[in-house]
Amino acid sequence: MKQVLRQLGVYQKDTLLCVGLTALEVVMEILLPFITARIIDEGLEASSLSAVYRYGTVMVALAFFSLLFGATAGKFAASASSGLAANLREAIYGNIQTFSFSNIDKFSVPGLVTRMTTDVTNVQQAFMMIIRVAVRSPLTLIFSYAMCIYISPKLSLMFLIAIVFLVIVIGAIMVVTMKIFNRVFRRYDDLNASVQENVSAIRVVKAFVREDYEKQKFSKASKNLYDLSVKAEGLLAFNNPAMMIAVYFCIISVSWFGAQFIVVDGSLTTGDLTSLFSYIMSLLMSLMMLSMVVVMISMSMASIRRIGEVLEETPDLHDPESPETEVPDGSIDFNHVSFSYKHGSGKNALTDIDLHIKSGETIGVIGGTGSGKSSLVNLICRLYDVDAGSVCVGGLDVRRYDMEALRNQVSVVLQKNTLFSGTILENLRWGNPDATDAACMEACQAACADEFIERFPDGYHTRIERGGSNVSGGQKQRLCIARALLKKPKVLILDDSTSAVDTATDAKIRKAFAEKIPGTTKIIIAQRISSVEGADRILVLDEGRINGFDTHENLLKTNAIYQEIYESQVQGGGDFDQPA
């Protein structure tokens, strides 16, 4: 809750003004029935027209100020709640941007989306009710009951019985519904996951004719959400009958005993009885509204906890106090490195990696699925931290660098390539916002992307749809390589990022690298031996350990795993038909 309320910021003033104006609105409304009683007793029954005018004027003034205070409070409530929601979304999004990969692994993407949309909206609505209704209802309840005691202490006992009855019934309903609403918001994650997965993979769904299956899966998630919502709302429906029972009990009791007090002992006037009826409705309606506030708060508490989880999550990776901002060269050293994605789990992705790469070398990395290839390169640009040992770039432990400076010099083209909505030039300038058109074209030439870009009618100004859906996998990979080259890095890592291009284009890219960025250390992860056989040395990984590290020729003579991969690809007749 503290994390959420901290996001109020400049809207604290609007919140306080709303609370103050709401209190004044309640005072004006509470006085209205009292003035009505005076009009009846001192005006109508006494046949005094001047009293009617006098109290009528006061009544109009009270009604006007009540309306004014209420409207102004509503304006400030809308401003404060909307401002809180906007600040919350910015805070959540901003904190997500600071997350390391290990932090992101703790949350699902649909879960984060739900937190920024549904959960924030729930908090916004609850906050508006808190500063309006949750202030108004208790004050109305207290002031109304105080006026009832002032008018008739004996009849006020009837109201107390009704209040206790409503508190017990509504409290029981709240306890049950709060548990149900906690489950409802977890179902929202399942629903969002189903939608996101289906829409992002719609081409695969259609290619395999799985529309009916996906509809059934979505319907199941939607039905679960529907059932829980109906159950919760069904319980809440008992609020109204309970409210009506209390109201009718109070009306009958006041009518019966009030009539006796008027006729028998004259301790109550007609005007007082009339005002009591008004206070009955105000008192019980405020209690009913308070129950609705409790429902909204109980719903929002689940959202607040989920939002708090994101806001309280602190990045696992931090810059040191006096970080290094210059990377001397592209040399890389792994000094007996061990790494696991879950610290302390005992399941290492990498174990005792001792590896030394000179600046400017081209290193190939090959191995089976799950052998630790991606894990290895993720440590170089410090997307994760090691469990044991150290990773050095330019002779310095990566933990001593400013992370932005390190990642600007260690450029990675990840296994899953992503392009963003915008033109090709806008996508390329993710690598360097200040890059000229000429520099972008040069990078595209090195990545062999210029040959297909020039065929587009709009050339470099061709618009890329979200996720790069209007370009092929190979074209997307070459654009991502060009984007990485624009950084002019000291280390370039290609994590299986030429898998979608043909072998001839792959060979052209490697040749361009050798000619145009000879001083850059290049690490090429690949499944095809033809992509790495020209490297200075090739690293063979097996189950997170180094199985071999030598030239192509020597590995063919000495390394069984490398020999097996080579022979399977040669016999398959795939990658060695075209010269590299």
Side-chain angles (χ1 to χ4, degrees):
M1 181 68 79
K2 289 180 181 178
Q3 283 280 5
V4 170
L5 291 179
R6 280 198 197 105
Q7 306 307 321
L8 262 176
V10 297
Y11 297 100
Q12 289 181 4
K13 179 181 176 182
D14 288 358
T15 302
L16 294 175
L17 285 170
C18 174
V19 171
L21 289 167
T22 299
L24 290 173
E25 179 192 11
V26 170
V27 171
M28 298 298 107
E29 288 184 357
I30 291 299
L31 290 174
L32 283 171
F34 184 76
I35 299 302
T36 302
R38 302 286 71 78
I39 290 175
I40 294 172
D41 292 339
E42 298 179 23
L44 299 179
E45 291 196 350
S47 300
S48 173
L49 198 57
S50 62
V52 173
Y53 288 148
R54 184 172 63 255
Y55 286 115
T57 302
V58 173
M59 196 172 185
V60 170
L62 289 174
F64 171 77
F65 282 110
S66 175
L67 177 63
L68 178 63
F69 293 146
T72 311
K75 175 181 176 296
F76 284 121
S79 172
S81 59
S82 298
L84 173 64
N87 288 349
L88 271 177
R89 290 190 183 96
E90 287 184 18
I92 295 170
Y93 189 77
N95 204 39
I96 291 172
Q97 299 306 306
T98 68
F99 285 176
S100 64
F101 279 22
S102 56
N103 294 116
I104 294 171
D105 292 342
K106 296 178 184 178
F107 301 96
S108 68
V109 173
L112 290 173
V113 172
T114 304
R115 284 166 169 85
M116 292 186 65
T117 52
T118 305
D119 288 329
V120 170
T121 300
N122 287 335
V123 172
Q124 177 183 351
Q125 293 173 347
F127 186 71
M128 178 178 282
M129 289 194 73
I130 287 170
I131 61 178
R132 281 286 283 158
V133 183
V135 172
R136 178 188 175 88
S137 295
L139 289 178
T140 302
L141 184 68
I142 293 168
F143 291 163
S144 294
Y145 196 65
M147 292 301 293
C148 289
I149 294 174
Y150 173 77
I151 294 169
S152 177
K154 292 180 181 179
L155 282 177
S156 299
L157 292 174
M158 301 296 103
F159 303 155
L160 193 59
I161 294 171
I163 290 172
V164 171
F165 167 74
L166 278 179
V167 167
I168 292 172
V169 173
I170 293 172
I173 293 171
M174 293 305 102
V175 170
V176 178
T177 54
M178 281 178 68
K179 295 178 181 177
I180 297 174
F181 279 121
N182 283 334
R183 293 165 60 193
V184 164
F185 290 108
R186 287 196 291 271
R187 297 298 184 189
Y188 270 117
D189 286 353
D190 296 339
L191 195 69
N192 282 344
S194 178
V195 173
Q196 183 180 12
E197 188 176 54
N198 182 275
V199 172
S200 61
I202 191 66
R203 288 172 174 78
V204 178
V205 172
K206 290 188 174 298
F208 284 87
V209 197
R210 299 285 282 177
E211 292 94 339
D212 289 340
Y213 171 79
E214 289 295 325
K215 285 178 184 177
Q216 290 174 4
K217 189 168 72 171
F218 178 83
S219 296
K220 182 179 179 181
S222 182
K223 181 69 164 53
N224 289 335
L225 183 59
Y226 166 81
D227 290 340
L228 285 173
S229 298
V230 168
K231 187 176 181 180
E233 296 295 340
L235 287 171
L236 290 177
F238 285 101
N239 278 353
N240 281 329
M243 174 69 179
M244 290 300 102
I245 290 172
V247 168
Y248 293 141
F249 168 79
C250 288
I251 290 175
I252 292 171
S253 299
V254 169
S255 299
W256 175 261
F257 291 107
Q260 291 187 10
F261 290 157
I262 293 172
V263 174
V264 176
D265 57 17
S267 61
L268 197 69
T269 67
T270 304
D272 289 338
L273 183 61
T274 303
S275 63
L276 277 174
F277 283 124
S278 297
Y279 287 129
I280 288 173
M281 294 308 298
S282 294
L283 190 149
L284 296 180
M285 284 303 297
S286 65
L287 191 60
M288 188 68 178
M289 291 303 296
L290 200 56
S291 73
M292 292 297 99
V293 172
V294 173
V295 173
M296 183 60 72
I297 291 175
S298 66
M299 289 174 61
S300 67
M301 285 306 297
S303 296
I304 287 170
R305 280 193 294 271
R306 287 158 54 82
I307 291 170
E309 287 174 1
V310 181
L311 292 177
E312 291 172 2
E313 182 74 15
T314 55
D316 292 339
L317 306 182
H318 302 277
D319 286 329
E321 289 186 6
S322 300
E324 298 288 339
T325 56
E326 293 293 331
V327 180
D329 56 50
S331 61
I332 301 169
D333 298 285
F334 283 76
N335 301 307
H336 299 285
V337 167
S338 293
F339 166 72
S340 62
Y341 286 99
K342 290 185 178 180
H343 299 310
S345 64
K347 297 180 180 179
N348 283 353
L350 297 170
T351 304
D352 195 29
I353 301 294
D354 197 60
L355 179 67
H356 305 281
I357 301 168
K358 298 175 184 176
S359 182
E361 271 194 300
T362 298
I363 303 297
V365 182
I366 203 162
T369 302
S371 60
K373 302 186 296 296
S374 295
S375 300
L376 183 86
V377 296
N378 284 339
L379 299 178
I380 298 173
C381 54
R382 205 186 169 202
L383 296 177
Y384 296 92
D385 269 345
V386 300
D387 292 349
S390 64
V391 178
C392 297
V393 175
L396 293 175
D397 192 317
V398 292
R399 290 169 289 196
R400 291 179 55 186
Y401 285 111
D402 173 85
M403 282 190 285
E404 184 176 343
L406 173 67
R407 290 170 185 171
N408 277 331
Q409 294 302 321
V410 180
S411 195
V412 185
V413 183
L414 294 171
Q415 195 168 8
K416 293 182 179 179
N417 298 288
T418 301
L419 295 175
F420 299 89
S421 301
T423 65
I424 288 176
L425 282 175
E426 288 170 347
N427 270 275
L428 292 172
R429 288 188 175 120
W430 273 67
N432 180 1
D434 301 320
T436 63
D437 289 0
C440 291
M441 292 176 186
E442 184 180 349
C444 287
Q445 289 170 3
C448 296
D450 59 319
E451 55 190 45
F452 71 82
I453 293 174
E454 291 170 356
R455 292 199 297 267
F456 291 147
D458 296 325
Y460 285 84
H461 296 284
T462 300
R463 183 167 182 80
I464 299 294
E465 301 299 332
R466 189 176 71 87
S469 59
N470 59 330
V471 291
S472 70
Q475 290 171 341
K476 187 189 298 185
Q477 286 186 336
R478 282 179 276 176
L479 287 172
C480 290
I481 292 171
R483 182 173 64 190
L485 289 174
L486 276 172
K487 281 186 159 187
K488 300 187 183 302
K490 289 186 169 65
V491 178
L492 175 65
I493 298 171
L494 303 180
D495 186 357
D496 203 19
S497 48
T498 59
S499 57
V501 302
D502 58 84
T503 52
T505 303
D506 188 12
K508 288 179 185 178
I509 293 172
R510 286 183 279 116
K511 182 180 178 183
F513 285 174
E515 294 174 353
K516 297 189 177 183
I517 51 170
T520 299
T521 304
K522 297 167 282 292
I523 299 178
I524 303 171
I525 297 176
Q527 299 294 335
R528 301 183 300 208
I529 285 184
S530 63
S531 297
V532 298
E533 64 173 336
D536 297 317
R537 288 183 289 173
I538 300 170
L539 175 66
V540 181
L541 289 175
D542 182 41
E543 295 184 354
R545 295 178 181 271
I546 296 177
N547 186 268
F549 187 42
D550 211 330
T551 63
H552 168 72
E553 290 77 13
N554 289 339
L555 287 173
L556 277 178
K557 297 174 184 176
T558 61
N559 190 275
I561 292 178
Y562 194 79
Q563 290 169 356
E564 183 181 347
I565 296 172
Y566 180 85
E567 288 171 3
S568 66
Q569 292 184 4
V570 170
Q571 289 172 1
D575 294 329
F576 296 91
D577 298 337
Q578 300 183 44

